[in-house]
Amino acid sequence: MQMRTDCDLVRELERIDGRGYPAYKDVRGGYDFGDFQLHIEHVQGDPFAAPSRMRAQVPADALGIPEGMWNARHRRTALEDVLLRRFARALASFSMRAGGSGKSGVLATASPGPEVLSRSACEVRDGAVTLRFEAGLPARGRTVDGRAAARMLLDFVPACIDRTLFADDGLLDQAWAAVELADDQRAAREKMEELGLVGFVANGSVLPRESGVSKRPMADVLPFESPEEQRVVLNLPHRGDVAGMGIKRGVTLIVGGGYHGKSTLLQALQDGVYDHVAGDGRELVLTDPSAVKLRAEDGRAVSGVDISLFIRELPGGRDTSCFSTVDASGSTSQAASTVEALEAGARTLLIDEDTSATNFMVRDALMEAVVAREFEPITPFAERVRDLWEQAGVSCVIVAGSSGAYFSVADCVLQLDRYRVVDITSHARAVCEHLDAPVTPRAAAFELPGAGHVLGTAFGGAPGSRARGAGRGAVGDGGRGGVGGGRGGRAMGPGGGFESGGPRGRGMAGERAKVRTSGCDSLQVGDGLADVRLVEQLVDPAQTRAIAQLLRVGLQRGVVAPGVPVARAARELGALLDREGFSVLAEHGDAPCDLARPRLHELAAVLNRWRRS
């Protein structure tokens, strides 16, 4: 069937002008505009409803984007990010100019933050570009305003595409600059791996943000400067030699007075798992991509997690080798999150004393003298952190400001002094030796939890059920990514699961499952929901929406099902997105424009927080 043209669209809009608003549904479909094709995927039913969804496809031969810009994944993502930011600005300049009632004239797409993420709003494939956006079809009251719609779709939208892809002679320069930055970021991460670094902060970086609710760099602040002891130089393909602070594998402690920048540095590191745009100030603040920020989460759901590494012999004989609750305490929630992060393949843990459960982190000598060890079921993290590194190869970066329990177990101690970093490792060791203050491990033998947990009764499985063949020496389902599948360390059992509840029954699978999200706070698929307010490395609501849609598709295809380890489910959902792109997440027609790719670790975090609504 031959595709309709832009002239056909004009005639169709003239035909329905003045009719009831539902007549707009007649314009659904594809139209050839010459340089691009416009596809009207989903038409809103009312001028006050969510705007209609559209996409523009521009063929490679109309663009001539050099292959070098998109022939590698990191380059393609950087190019897509540049094009999307240009497209968003162009749409904003024309939005609401068509006039009308309700959402008439709205033109919008995703609005990226400083992170460079793969997004559904712009996809480049073999030099062709797909741009997805929302358009509020104009109305007079609740009737079709065909003239205004023609102006919007045949004048404004082509002008936005022209501004994005054709009109600006500086596009190639802007795109090459972004691609070269992506090259440098990728090369820096590879060199970090070679040098055994979990983090790198380039000299001159700007770490503080404008405010607690802003991601913009703070003006007129002291640029970052590495202490000489941690100074490394990375030779990057485009920037040449770049000096900065390298954080080595092992246990790194960050200390200092209040308001001197400890948490700011850790925040920059936790966000450093993502690449950032030029001008953000943190574009060369890079962290091990597997790094997970841990914290206490009072009240979170925990399902079948082996937390016996940290907590044993609870009153009443409660089993901690398969611990479940719908209302975890601070210590049990942080213990569960730690084990879940390891199961998902984290090789670096980031912890801030301010957001941790005190009794999970430390237990001082005076408390132990008054309340004997045999009456305390918690083994503090301070007594496990060396074993995590020496026997499992898991590094930790810990911020502390009130307890000295970690000085004697740290490989490196960094002090923040008015946002200046000073290496005080030698001083800390000398003080510890003088005070004779070692941390004595509670147990002689260290062993990571091996039983693991799988998707359980939430999807009809038996409580505490295990995936076939799972056991010690396996990572999730035996694949790579867990502690045992990384560089050294002991193997772990299958990934976590949903024994405390999840979606089921009507609306559980397929197109009928309702999907709702609330920013980076929560998501719901069918009758299952997850509270993700404290999953701090979810940095964009578009990631939450993508996870919700991935879960819907995973339920439909059996990727998320009883007996499936969470680590495996997360990997398979990520692989599904790799193979089929964002179009696999479409509910009506094509995918929406407001999705962004999450990391495997945040996918697993959502699965681990799942419960029935």
Side-chain angles (χ1 to χ4, degrees), residues 451-594:
H453 53 300
V454 297
L455 309 185
T457 55
F459 300 96
S465 60
R466 298 287 182 262
R468 181 177 298 176
R472 296 193 187 279
V475 182
D477 61 337
R480 298 175 60 191
V483 174
R487 294 173 53 193
R490 303 183 67 164
M492 293 183 63
F498 300 1
E499 280 123 358
S500 66
R504 64 175 183 173
R506 182 181 175 89
M508 167 183 163
E511 298 298 328
R512 293 180 301 167
K514 292 184 178 180
V515 175
R516 297 184 180 90
T517 62
S518 177
C520 289
D521 292 343
S522 65
L523 59 88
Q524 182 170 357
V525 181
D527 64 357
L529 59 83
D531 183 339
V532 294
R533 286 173 294 175
L534 300 182
V535 180
E536 296 184 30
Q537 287 166 296
L538 271 176
V539 294
D540 194 304
Q543 290 177 302
T544 312
R545 289 189 285 268
I547 291 174
Q549 294 294 348
L550 272 170
L551 292 185
R552 177 185 61 80
V553 174
L555 287 164
Q556 179 184 0
R557 299 194 180 190
V559 175
V560 178
V564 177
V566 162
R568 190 179 86 187
R571 286 197 301 274
E572 291 186 3
L573 290 174
L576 181 66
L577 196 52
D578 281 339
R579 288 194 308 271
E580 302 186 37
F582 286 103
S583 60
V584 74
L585 305 183
E587 286 189 270
H588 306 286
D590 191 42
C593 67
D594 57 356

Side-chain angles (χ1 to χ4, degrees), residues 45 150 222 248 415 479 514 584:
L222 183 70
K248 295 180 180 179
Q415 180 179 346
K514 292 184 178 180
V584 74

Side-chain angles (χ1 to χ4, degrees), residues 244-266:
M245 180 177 76
I247 299 177
K248 295 180 180 179
R249 294 200 172 278
V251 181
T252 298
L253 185 62
I254 300 173
V255 299
Y259 306 101
H260 281 246
K262 305 185 301 298
S263 295
T264 298
L265 175 56
L266 193 74

Side-chain angles (χ1 to χ4, degrees), residues 29 33 50 157 270 324 364 368 429 504:
F33 276 59
V157 170
Q270 77 181 53
S324 297
D364 65 28
E368 193 155 293
R429 286 176 179 166
R504 64 175 183 173

Side-chain angles (χ1 to χ4, degrees), residues 16 26 82 97 107 116 155 189 246 259 296 343 425 469 515 529 546 560 565 576 602:
I16 64 174
D26 292 348
V82 167
R97 285 171 58 174
L107 285 170
V116 179
D155 293 336
R189 293 186 190 278
Y259 306 101
E343 289 174 347
T425 307
V515 175
L529 59 83
V560 178
L576 181 66
E602 281 65 61

Side-chain angles (χ1 to χ4, degrees), residues 325-343:
T325 181
V326 295
D327 188 17
S329 67
S331 57
T332 55
S333 66
Q334 194 160 356
S337 295
T338 303
V339 174
E340 290 164 353
L342 298 176
E343 289 174 347

